[in-house]
Amino acid sequence: RADRALAGLPASFPGFHWHRHELVVPEGAVTLAAVDSQRCQAFRVGENVYGFGFRPEVTGWMVGRWVDAYPD
C-alpha cells in the first residue's frame, strides 16, 4: 500500500481479473498485489515499471458490457 500505484487502497480490495494467466515476477521486482490463487497480481521493477494482472480501471458497467459481448 505504500507504493504510489496503489496508494490509498485498503489492504484488500476487489480487482477485475478476466483470465487465468499468472504473472511471472521478473528478477529484482517487488510484488505489490496477490490473491490466494495467484502469487502475483501486480509488481514494480525499479521506480517506473509496473505490471498488472488485474484491471484496476474496470468498472461494473464495463464488466457487464464485456459479458454481454462475449457470452461464451
Side-chain angles (χ1 to χ4, degrees):
R1 292 182 300 187
D3 189 89
R4 65 180 178 223
L6 302 176
L9 292 174
S12 179
F13 59 90
F16 185 72
H17 184 96
W18 185 263
H19 53 78
R20 296 182 202 201
H21 304 292
E22 184 170 345
L23 294 176
V24 176
V25 182
E27 187 175 328
V30 176
T31 298
L32 301 175
V35 294
D36 291 339
S37 62
Q38 295 188 340
R39 295 175 298 220
C40 183
Q41 280 292 309
F43 64 82
R44 184 189 78 240
V45 178
E47 294 297 318
N48 299 310
V49 177
Y50 288 86
F52 289 87
F54 71 98
R55 304 288 302 264
E57 79 283 7
V58 171
T59 65
W61 178 83
M62 293 167 74
V63 172
R65 296 285 309 258
W66 290 348
V67 169
D68 290 343
Y70 305 102
D72 293 336

